[in-house]
Amino acid sequence: MEGKLYIVPTPIGNLEDITLRALRILKEVDLILAEDTRNTSNLLRHYGIEKPLHSHHQFNEHRTVENLIERLQAGSVVALVSDAGTPGISDPGYLLIRACIRAGIPAECLPGPTAFVPALVNSGIPSDHFVFEGFLPHKKGRQTRLKELATEERTLVFYESPFRLVKTLTQFAEFFGSGRYACVSRELTKIYEENARGTLEELILHFSNKTVKGEIVIVVEGAGK
Ligand code: SAM
């Protein structure tokens, strides 16, 4: 029998956001690779799925890829999940997927939840052309990246932590201009979902002097709009 890797997106908050096919695949595979096995066991328990779980995260993926390829070559069918959303999108996945492709092992990504798509679409900012930047570098290379992005005409999409939100919006205002329109999507699909829209200046005011909590996507309109 031929082995196969399935890349399976999981909810980014609302547990109803999982496809019927994702649930079937998770039930059928021999093994599930999870970023955080405790987190994924809770998720699987919710759907009544019991499967062997192995840990696969950014700190061990370089070491485990070779073993996993051997298992897949021996015929195992494996699902890769991350803590939330689609593996490989600001999450581990790429190394294993590339290794499968190089070894001739089929790798198939199921369509499903990922945070940047609802954030982009909710923003009301043009979504026909966009650049997904994920997390900006914290220190080295950050200013250079911001300088490069200042002239980017396509809509920009960033992941950010709540602790750095105001600092990042302030830097965006500095590099892109404080009148640039943006949208901050917080806690998408969860009870306290918020989509705050306005100029960077307005958004800085909105989020300053309060404790910002939850998970965040920032969408910024492109240059010259
Ligand atoms: N693989 C995930 C995906 O497909 O979107 C992203 C994983 S990345 C480690 C986590 C980041 O995704 C968070 O810091 C936040 O920027 C974004 N994110 C995840 N869930 C979110 C949510 N419910 N609302 C807003 N942003 C979210």
Side-chain angles (χ1 to χ4, degrees), residues 177-210:
S178 57
R180 191 82 83 89
Y181 191 80
C183 176
V184 174
S185 289
R186 202 171 59 78
E187 296 287 80
L188 286 161
T189 79
K190 303 184 196 176
I191 301 171
Y192 297 108
E193 169 165 344
E194 176 187 19
N195 293 281
R197 304 176 181 87
T199 62
L200 288 168
E201 190 177 13
E202 287 164 346
L203 289 170
I204 293 164
L205 271 179
H206 177 78
F207 287 105
S208 291
N209 304 318
K210 62 170 126 174

Side-chain angles (χ1 to χ4, degrees), residues 12 84-86 89-91 114-115 135 159-160 187-188 215-217:
I12 57 164
T86 302
I89 300 297
S90 296
D91 263 339
T114 186
F135 293 99
Y159 282 172
E160 191 47 287
E187 296 287 80
L188 286 161
E215 300 194 278
I216 284 166
V217 184

